[in-house]
Amino acid sequence: MEKLSLALLLGLMMIVLYIAEVADLITAALLAAGGMVLGGCLDVHSARNAVQWDVYITIACSFGFSAALEKTGVASSISELLVDAGLATGTGESGVMVAIYLATVMLSNVMANNAAAAIMFPVAASTAEKQGMDLKQVVFLLMLAASASFASPFGYQTNLMVWNPGKYQFKDFIRFGGPMQVWQMIATLLAIILIDVWEWLVLLSIAGFSAIIAGPAVWIFLRRACESDQKKEQGREEDTVVFDTIANGI
Protein backbone atom coordinates (compact mmCIF):
# COMPACT_ATOMS: atom_id res chain seq x y z
CA MET A 1 0.00 0.00 0.00
CA GLU A 2 2.88 2.35 0.81
CA LYS A 3 4.52 1.66 -2.54
CA LEU A 4 1.22 2.25 -4.33
CA SER A 5 0.85 5.62 -2.59
CA LEU A 6 4.43 6.52 -3.48
CA ALA A 7 3.91 5.55 -7.13
CA LEU A 8 0.74 7.65 -7.32
CA LEU A 9 2.50 10.59 -5.67
CA LEU A 10 5.43 10.39 -8.09
CA GLY A 11 3.07 10.14 -11.07
CA LEU A 12 1.16 13.19 -9.85
CA MET A 13 4.44 15.03 -9.33
CA MET A 14 5.46 14.27 -12.91
CA ILE A 15 2.21 15.74 -14.25
CA VAL A 16 2.43 18.85 -12.04
CA LEU A 17 6.04 19.53 -13.03
CA TYR A 18 5.14 19.30 -16.71
CA ILE A 19 1.93 21.38 -16.49
CA ALA A 20 3.67 24.05 -14.41
CA GLU A 21 6.44 24.14 -17.04
CA VAL A 22 9.06 23.50 -14.38
CA ALA A 23 10.48 20.66 -16.48
CA ASP A 24 9.81 19.18 -19.88
CA LEU A 25 7.99 15.86 -20.12
CA ILE A 26 11.04 13.62 -20.57
CA THR A 27 12.81 15.18 -17.56
CA ALA A 28 9.73 14.89 -15.36
CA ALA A 29 9.22 11.27 -16.44
CA LEU A 30 12.85 10.37 -15.72
CA LEU A 31 12.62 11.97 -12.26
CA ALA A 32 9.45 9.98 -11.52
CA ALA A 33 11.02 6.74 -12.80
CA GLY A 34 14.15 7.32 -10.71
CA GLY A 35 12.04 8.03 -7.65
CA MET A 36 10.15 4.78 -8.14
CA VAL A 37 13.41 2.81 -8.33
CA LEU A 38 14.83 4.53 -5.24
CA GLY A 39 11.53 4.10 -3.41
CA GLY A 40 11.43 0.38 -4.12
CA CYS A 41 8.36 0.45 -6.34
CA LEU A 42 10.38 -1.59 -8.85
CA ASP A 43 13.95 -2.83 -9.05
CA VAL A 44 16.60 -1.86 -11.57
CA HIS A 45 16.20 -5.12 -13.51
CA SER A 46 12.44 -4.59 -13.94
CA ALA A 47 13.00 -0.97 -14.95
CA ARG A 48 15.53 -2.01 -17.59
CA ASN A 49 13.24 -4.74 -18.95
CA ALA A 50 10.34 -2.27 -19.13
CA VAL A 51 12.11 -0.37 -21.92
CA GLN A 52 10.84 -1.95 -25.16
CA TRP A 53 13.67 -1.12 -27.54
CA ASP A 54 12.01 -2.79 -30.51
CA VAL A 55 9.02 -0.46 -30.17
CA TYR A 56 11.17 2.65 -29.96
CA ILE A 57 13.29 1.58 -32.93
CA THR A 58 10.13 0.95 -34.95
CA ILE A 59 8.79 4.39 -34.01
CA ALA A 60 12.07 6.00 -35.03
CA CYS A 61 12.00 4.14 -38.36
CA SER A 62 8.40 5.24 -38.97
CA PHE A 63 9.52 8.88 -38.64
CA GLY A 64 12.20 8.21 -41.25
CA PHE A 65 9.65 6.58 -43.57
CA SER A 66 7.33 9.55 -43.05
CA ALA A 67 10.10 12.00 -43.93
CA ALA A 68 10.97 9.97 -47.05
CA LEU A 69 7.37 10.08 -48.29
CA GLU A 70 7.30 13.82 -47.71
CA LYS A 71 10.68 14.69 -49.23
CA THR A 72 10.29 12.55 -52.36
CA GLY A 73 6.89 14.02 -53.16
CA VAL A 74 5.13 10.64 -53.06
CA ALA A 75 2.72 11.77 -50.34
CA SER A 76 1.72 14.98 -52.11
CA SER A 77 1.23 13.10 -55.40
CA ILE A 78 -1.07 10.59 -53.72
CA SER A 79 -3.08 13.33 -52.03
CA GLU A 80 -3.51 15.33 -55.25
CA LEU A 81 -4.53 12.16 -57.13
CA LEU A 82 -7.24 11.34 -54.59
CA VAL A 83 -8.59 14.89 -54.52
CA ASP A 84 -8.67 14.95 -58.34
CA ALA A 85 -10.61 11.67 -58.23
CA GLY A 86 -13.12 13.28 -55.86
CA LEU A 87 -13.54 16.23 -58.24
CA ALA A 88 -14.00 13.86 -61.17
CA THR A 89 -17.01 12.19 -59.53
CA GLY A 90 -19.03 15.39 -60.01
CA THR A 91 -20.66 15.03 -56.60
CA GLY A 92 -19.92 18.62 -55.60
CA GLU A 93 -18.61 19.71 -52.22
CA SER A 94 -19.55 16.43 -50.52
CA GLY A 95 -17.42 14.39 -52.91
CA VAL A 96 -14.49 16.80 -52.53
CA MET A 97 -14.70 16.64 -48.73
CA VAL A 98 -14.78 12.84 -48.80
CA ALA A 99 -11.74 12.81 -51.11
CA ILE A 100 -9.81 15.23 -48.87
CA TYR A 101 -10.72 13.20 -45.80
CA LEU A 102 -9.71 9.87 -47.36
CA ALA A 103 -6.43 11.26 -48.69
CA THR A 104 -5.54 12.71 -45.29
CA VAL A 105 -6.50 9.51 -43.47
CA MET A 106 -4.44 7.43 -45.85
CA LEU A 107 -1.38 9.59 -45.23
CA SER A 108 -1.87 9.77 -41.46
CA ASN A 109 -1.95 5.97 -41.26
CA VAL A 110 1.55 5.66 -42.69
CA MET A 111 3.21 8.85 -41.47
CA ALA A 112 3.07 11.37 -38.63
CA ASN A 113 -0.29 13.13 -38.42
CA ASN A 114 1.25 16.63 -38.35
CA ALA A 115 3.19 15.80 -41.52
CA ALA A 116 0.00 14.49 -43.16
CA ALA A 117 -1.84 17.70 -42.27
CA ALA A 118 1.06 19.84 -43.52
CA ILE A 119 1.12 18.00 -46.87
CA MET A 120 -2.64 18.07 -47.35
CA PHE A 121 -3.26 21.68 -46.31
CA PRO A 122 -2.09 23.41 -49.51
CA VAL A 123 -3.91 20.82 -51.63
CA ALA A 124 -7.12 21.18 -49.59
CA ALA A 125 -6.89 24.99 -49.45
CA SER A 126 -6.38 25.26 -53.21
CA THR A 127 -9.28 22.89 -53.87
CA ALA A 128 -11.54 24.78 -51.45
CA GLU A 129 -10.73 28.09 -53.18
CA LYS A 130 -11.49 26.67 -56.64
CA GLN A 131 -14.77 25.13 -55.47
CA GLY A 132 -15.84 28.17 -53.44
CA MET A 133 -15.88 26.17 -50.20
CA ASP A 134 -15.49 27.63 -46.72
CA LEU A 135 -11.81 27.30 -45.77
CA LYS A 136 -12.64 26.98 -42.06
CA GLN A 137 -14.76 23.92 -42.75
CA VAL A 138 -12.00 22.36 -44.84
CA VAL A 139 -9.44 23.01 -42.09
CA PHE A 140 -11.79 21.44 -39.55
CA LEU A 141 -12.15 18.41 -41.82
CA LEU A 142 -8.38 18.21 -42.29
CA MET A 143 -7.73 18.44 -38.55
CA LEU A 144 -10.02 15.53 -37.69
CA ALA A 145 -8.88 13.39 -40.63
CA ALA A 146 -5.21 13.83 -39.70
CA SER A 147 -5.99 12.60 -36.19
CA ALA A 148 -7.88 9.51 -37.42
CA SER A 149 -5.02 7.04 -37.60
CA PHE A 150 -6.85 3.94 -36.36
CA ALA A 151 -6.34 1.41 -39.17
CA SER A 152 -2.58 0.97 -39.01
CA PRO A 153 -0.04 0.29 -36.25
CA PHE A 154 2.22 2.90 -37.86
CA GLY A 155 -0.38 5.67 -37.69
CA TYR A 156 0.60 6.85 -34.23
CA GLN A 157 3.18 6.09 -31.57
CA THR A 158 0.61 4.68 -29.15
CA ASN A 159 -0.54 2.21 -31.81
CA LEU A 160 2.99 0.88 -32.01
CA MET A 161 3.35 0.82 -28.22
CA VAL A 162 0.40 -1.57 -27.80
CA TRP A 163 1.07 -3.61 -30.95
CA ASN A 164 3.69 -5.98 -29.54
CA PRO A 165 2.54 -6.27 -25.88
CA GLY A 166 -1.04 -6.91 -26.98
CA LYS A 167 0.12 -9.48 -29.57
CA TYR A 168 -1.96 -7.70 -32.22
CA GLN A 169 -1.60 -8.33 -35.92
CA PHE A 170 -1.85 -5.79 -38.71
CA LYS A 171 -5.28 -7.14 -39.68
CA ASP A 172 -6.56 -6.40 -36.15
CA PHE A 173 -5.99 -2.70 -36.70
CA ILE A 174 -7.84 -2.88 -40.01
CA ARG A 175 -10.68 -4.96 -38.57
CA PHE A 176 -11.35 -2.68 -35.61
CA GLY A 177 -9.85 0.60 -36.79
CA GLY A 178 -11.43 0.48 -40.26
CA PRO A 179 -15.03 0.81 -39.04
CA MET A 180 -13.90 3.56 -36.66
CA GLN A 181 -12.40 5.42 -39.62
CA VAL A 182 -15.67 5.16 -41.54
CA TRP A 183 -17.75 6.23 -38.54
CA GLN A 184 -15.56 9.26 -37.84
CA MET A 185 -15.69 10.27 -41.50
CA ILE A 186 -19.50 10.14 -41.48
CA ALA A 187 -19.71 12.02 -38.17
CA THR A 188 -17.24 14.66 -39.37
CA LEU A 189 -19.03 15.24 -42.66
CA LEU A 190 -22.40 15.47 -40.91
CA ALA A 191 -20.98 17.97 -38.43
CA ILE A 192 -19.70 20.15 -41.28
CA ILE A 193 -22.83 19.85 -43.43
CA LEU A 194 -25.21 20.45 -40.52
CA ILE A 195 -23.19 23.24 -38.91
CA ASP A 196 -26.05 25.69 -39.56
CA VAL A 197 -28.41 23.52 -37.49
CA TRP A 198 -25.92 22.73 -34.74
CA GLU A 199 -28.68 22.55 -32.11
CA TRP A 200 -30.11 19.45 -33.80
CA LEU A 201 -26.61 18.06 -34.18
CA VAL A 202 -26.02 18.39 -30.43
CA LEU A 203 -29.34 16.72 -29.68
CA LEU A 204 -28.56 13.86 -32.06
CA SER A 205 -25.12 13.45 -30.48
CA ILE A 206 -26.63 13.30 -26.99
CA ALA A 207 -29.26 10.81 -28.18
CA GLY A 208 -26.63 8.63 -29.85
CA PHE A 209 -24.37 8.72 -26.81
CA SER A 210 -27.29 7.84 -24.54
CA ALA A 211 -28.22 4.94 -26.81
CA ILE A 212 -24.65 3.64 -26.70
CA ILE A 213 -24.57 3.84 -22.90
CA ALA A 214 -28.11 2.66 -22.20
CA GLY A 215 -28.41 0.12 -25.03
CA PRO A 216 -26.40 -2.71 -23.40
CA ALA A 217 -28.15 -2.15 -20.06
CA VAL A 218 -31.59 -2.34 -21.68
CA TRP A 219 -30.55 -5.47 -23.61
CA ILE A 220 -29.35 -7.19 -20.42
CA PHE A 221 -32.55 -6.22 -18.59
CA LEU A 222 -34.77 -7.58 -21.38
CA ARG A 223 -32.75 -10.78 -21.65
CA ARG A 224 -32.97 -11.40 -17.92
CA ALA A 225 -36.70 -10.65 -17.98
CA CYS A 226 -37.18 -13.21 -20.78
CA GLU A 227 -35.10 -15.78 -18.90
CA SER A 228 -37.18 -15.15 -15.77
CA ASP A 229 -40.42 -15.62 -17.71
CA GLN A 230 -39.08 -18.84 -19.22
CA LYS A 231 -38.17 -20.17 -15.77
CA LYS A 232 -41.60 -19.28 -14.45
CA GLU A 233 -43.27 -21.02 -17.38
CA GLN A 234 -41.05 -24.05 -16.90
CA GLY A 235 -41.96 -24.07 -13.20
CA ARG A 236 -45.67 -23.97 -14.03
CA GLU A 237 -45.27 -26.88 -16.44
CA GLU A 238 -43.45 -28.91 -13.79
CA ASP A 239 -46.17 -28.12 -11.24
CA THR A 240 -48.81 -29.20 -13.74
CA VAL A 241 -47.01 -32.51 -14.30
CA VAL A 242 -46.80 -33.10 -10.54
CA PHE A 243 -50.49 -32.32 -10.05
CA ASP A 244 -51.45 -34.58 -12.95
CA THR A 245 -49.33 -37.36 -11.49
CA ILE A 246 -50.96 -36.98 -8.08
CA ALA A 247 -54.44 -36.83 -9.61
CA ASN A 248 -53.85 -39.96 -11.66
CA GLY A 249 -52.54 -41.74 -8.57
CA ILE A 250 -55.66 -40.86 -6.62
Side-chain angles (χ1 to χ4, degrees):
M1 187 65 182
E2 293 180 359
K3 292 181 179 180
L4 174 60
S5 301
L6 177 61
L8 291 173
L9 181 62
L10 289 169
L12 181 62
M13 180 197 72
M14 177 187 71
I15 297 171
V16 171
L17 287 175
Y18 176 64
I19 293 176
E21 298 184 354
V22 176
D24 55 20
L25 185 57
I26 183 64
T27 304
L30 287 173
L31 287 173
M36 289 186 184
V37 173
L38 293 174
C41 297
L42 74 166
D43 54 35
V44 177
H45 181 71
S46 299
R48 185 169 56 250
N49 289 339
V51 180
Q52 299 175 356
W53 294 109
D54 55 339
V55 174
Y56 293 121
I57 291 172
T58 306
I59 291 174
C61 291
S62 70
F63 286 143
F65 179 66
S66 170
L69 287 177
E70 183 179 357
K71 295 293 184 182
T72 57
V74 172
S76 60
S77 298
I78 293 173
S79 63
E80 290 174 2
L81 179 64
L82 288 172
V83 172
D84 289 341
L87 291 170
T89 60
T91 52
E93 291 186 5
S94 299
V96 173
M97 285 193 289
V98 169
I100 292 173
Y101 189 95
L102 291 177
T104 309
V105 161
M106 184 172 138
L107 292 178
S108 68
N109 274 291
V110 295
M111 62 194 307
N113 56 355
N114 53 355
I119 290 171
M120 279 301 302
F121 179 75
V123 179
S126 174
T127 305
E129 184 179 358
K130 291 178 182 177
Q131 296 295 311
M133 299 167 61
D134 187 351
L135 183 58
K136 289 183 179 179
Q137 292 183 357
V138 174
V139 170
F140 177 72
L141 175 75
L142 196 64
M143 174 187 67
L144 289 177
S147 301
S149 49
F150 311 132
S152 165
F154 306 106
Y156 202 68
Q157 297 94 314
T158 48
N159 295 17
L160 284 168
M161 291 173 70
V162 301
W163 187 13
N164 190 37
K167 298 188 183 340
Y168 296 113
Q169 298 180 1
F170 198 101
K171 64 181 180 181
D172 294 324
F173 286 89
I174 297 175
R175 184 172 58 177
F176 293 102
M180 289 179 64
Q181 300 271 197
V182 174
W183 169 246
Q184 178 161 319
M185 181 181 70
I186 294 172
T188 301
L189 292 175
L190 284 176
I192 292 173
I193 293 170
L194 301 177
I195 192 66
D196 294 330
V197 287
W198 63 270
E199 299 94 342
W200 288 103
L201 189 62
V202 171
L203 290 175
L204 286 173
S205 300
I206 294 173
F209 181 75
S210 301
I212 292 172
I213 298 299
V218 172
W219 169 254
I220 292 172
F221 174 78
L222 292 175
R223 188 176 65 179
R224 288 181 178 177
C226 290
E227 290 176 353
S228 178
D229 290 341
Q230 290 176 357
K231 288 180 180 179
K232 289 179 180 179
E233 185 64 29
Q234 186 178 359
R236 291 194 192 97
E237 291 177 357
E238 291 176 353
D239 291 341
T240 301
V241 172
V242 172
F243 290 146
D244 291 342
T245 302
I246 295 173
N248 291 333
I250 297 174

